[in-house]
């Protein structure tokens, strides 16, 4: 019938014990959650990322080890990726969201980081015009002349 003897008897036993429903619930793929850290470590890493958004992976790992939570820098990175906190910009956005949601008070360092991010968002060196394309500019750069090629101003007129 296309099945091995072991599979046949396994299916037969499942059918006898649970009926057709037991056969429908068979899944070959089992969830493989390897390299997952416990929930309390993941929560500590995400809280630290929001409290101190300027910390990098290595500094965050060292800070957590001082608090008694052992995790590597790459472990911090994988947790940040899972929680969408991998860049400074995303961590600052998460801090702003937490402030708006919970109404917490910010520290001096957090205020400095948010102000710095706002300054970087502002446009620098832009020119305002009435219409798009209204103002144009041209940049020219003279390199030199090519040997054997006469310029138009040097050609005698007849």
């Amino acid at each position: 019938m296309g099945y091995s003897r072991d599979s046949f008897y396994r299916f037969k036993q499942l059918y006898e014990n649970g009926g057709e429903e037991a056969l429908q619930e068979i899944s070959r793929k089992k969830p493989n959650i390897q390299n997952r850290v416990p929930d309390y470590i993941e929560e500590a890493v995400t809280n630290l990322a929001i409290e101190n958004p300027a910390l990098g992976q290595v500094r965050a790992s060292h800070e957590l080890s001082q608090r008694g939570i052992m995790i590597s820098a790459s472990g911090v990175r994988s947790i940040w990726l899972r929680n969408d906190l991998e860049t400074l910009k995303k961590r600052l956005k998460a801090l702003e969201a937490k402030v708006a949601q919970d109404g917490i008070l910010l520290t001096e360092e957090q205020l400095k980081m948010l102000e710095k991010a706002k300054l970087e968002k502002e446009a620098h060196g832009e020119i305002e015009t009435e219409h798009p394309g209204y103002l144009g500019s041209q940049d020219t750069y003279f390199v030199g002349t090519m040997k054997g090629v006469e310029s138009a101003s040097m050609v005698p007129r007849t």
Side-chain angles (χ1 to χ4, degrees):
M1 291 182 11
Y3 293 103
S4 69
R5 185 176 302 215
D6 292 337
S7 297
F8 172 76
Y9 285 112
R10 190 175 60 235
F11 294 151
K12 181 180 175 192
Q13 183 180 14
L14 282 171
Y15 182 75
E16 289 172 354
N17 291 338
E20 289 183 26
E21 294 84 27
L23 293 175
Q24 289 177 353
E25 294 176 10
I26 296 176
S27 174
R28 288 185 177 194
K29 190 172 184 179
K30 296 178 183 174
N32 186 5
I33 308 176
Q34 54 182 223
N35 296 336
R36 265 293 174 105
V37 295
D39 290 336
Y40 74 94
I41 292 179
E42 187 153 345
E43 186 177 334
V45 171
T46 54
N47 287 340
L48 181 67
I50 294 172
E51 288 171 13
N52 298 319
L55 293 182
Q57 305 166 54
V58 176
R59 287 179 60 196
S61 172
H62 289 302
E63 179 72 27
L64 288 167
S65 67
Q66 289 176 352
R67 296 180 185 182
I69 299 172
M70 301 306 289
I71 186 166
S72 67
S74 60
V76 170
R77 173 83 175 160
S78 66
I79 292 173
W80 284 356
L81 284 169
R82 233 185 342 265
N83 292 291
D84 201 31
L85 296 169
E86 65 269 18
T87 63
L88 174 63
K89 193 179 285 187
K90 289 181 178 181
R91 291 191 296 273
L92 286 171
K93 191 179 287 187
L95 175 63
E96 288 175 346
K98 186 169 184 170
V99 167
Q101 181 183 8
D102 298 341
I104 60 173
L105 295 175
L106 297 175
T107 63
E108 284 291 322
E109 186 176 327
Q110 290 171 335
L111 286 172
K112 284 182 188 177
M113 289 303 301
L114 289 173
E115 289 296 322
K116 186 177 177 182
K118 284 180 185 177
L119 289 175
E120 289 177 0
K121 284 182 186 177
E122 291 179 5
H124 298 288
E126 290 188 5
I127 300 171
E128 292 191 24
T129 61
E130 292 181 28
H131 309 287
Y134 188 72
L135 177 67
S137 66
Q138 180 178 357
D139 188 15
T140 57
Y141 182 71
F142 177 74
V143 176
T145 58
M146 294 174 43
K147 188 175 181 179
V149 178
E150 297 180 16
S151 70
S153 62
M154 298 179 79
V155 176
R157 295 182 184 195
T158 54

